[in-house]
Amino acid sequence: MDRERRKELTEQFKQIKTYMGIYQLRNTINGKIYLATYPNLKNREVMLRSELDMGRNYNKELQKEWTEMGGDAFVYEILEQKESKDVLDKHWTLKQMEQEWMDKLQPYGEKGYHKPKKTP
């Protein structure tokens, strides 16, 4: 590949926008939801589904229902996203997003796959 073509491709790559944000995986059979944030949402759905298909998700309840009901019983939805280059502290921003959506949707017990945080 010549230098000009390489330079052109590098510039095109730099122009690709990446988005960070929060998504939910919703069980269409029982309505339960799983919420999570990720710094690059572009390929997250494919990675998450692969992880679940292989039986390697850390959330035991979500993994159990995925295995029993199959992947077709779940819908992946992005709830909020921000362009990554516009965010100075990605970790803090993702934590804030997550807390806001957890408070709003309350994905605990029969509503979701999360356990409520213990209060001291």
Side-chain angles (χ1 to χ4, degrees):
M1 179 182 315
D2 67 16
R3 284 185 162 172
E4 283 303 311
R5 180 68 178 140
R6 184 183 197 102
K7 186 177 178 180
E8 181 183 321
L9 290 173
T10 301
E11 270 310 306
Q12 286 177 1
F13 180 75
K14 287 179 183 178
Q15 299 303 316
I16 295 172
K17 294 180 180 180
T18 57
Y19 294 92
M20 56 183 270
I22 187 161
Y23 63 90
Q24 74 177 2
L25 192 61
R26 182 172 46 85
N27 185 322
T28 59
I29 295 171
N30 62 23
K32 285 179 152 184
I33 58 174
Y34 169 77
L35 295 177
T37 58
Y38 208 70
N40 186 351
L41 293 173
K42 184 175 181 167
N43 298 320
R44 183 58 186 147
E45 180 179 8
V46 172
M47 291 169 42
L48 178 63
R49 286 183 177 278
S50 295
E51 183 180 280
L52 287 158
D53 284 342
M54 291 187 289
R56 297 189 172 198
N57 190 277
Y58 75 93
N59 187 304
K60 291 181 186 284
E61 187 179 354
L62 172 62
Q63 183 64 65
K64 180 179 180 281
E65 290 191 0
W66 179 279
T67 302
E68 290 172 358
M69 299 175 189
D72 290 342
F74 293 83
V75 176
Y76 174 89
E77 300 163 312
I78 294 175
L79 299 175
E80 183 180 356
Q81 66 182 15
K82 292 184 180 185
E83 193 172 339
S84 295
K85 73 174 184 128
D86 295 338
V87 178
L88 294 176
D89 187 342
K90 291 179 178 79
H91 180 73
W92 184 85
T93 302
L94 288 171
K95 281 274 191 208
Q96 295 301 312
M97 273 185 192
E98 182 177 43
Q99 189 58 58
E100 197 175 297
W101 282 95
M102 291 293 242
D103 292 345
K104 183 178 180 177
L105 298 177
Q106 298 288 309
Y108 311 110
E110 291 184 19
K111 291 175 69 179
Y113 296 100
H114 299 273
K115 294 186 183 348
K117 291 182 179 172
K118 295 178 183 176
T119 53

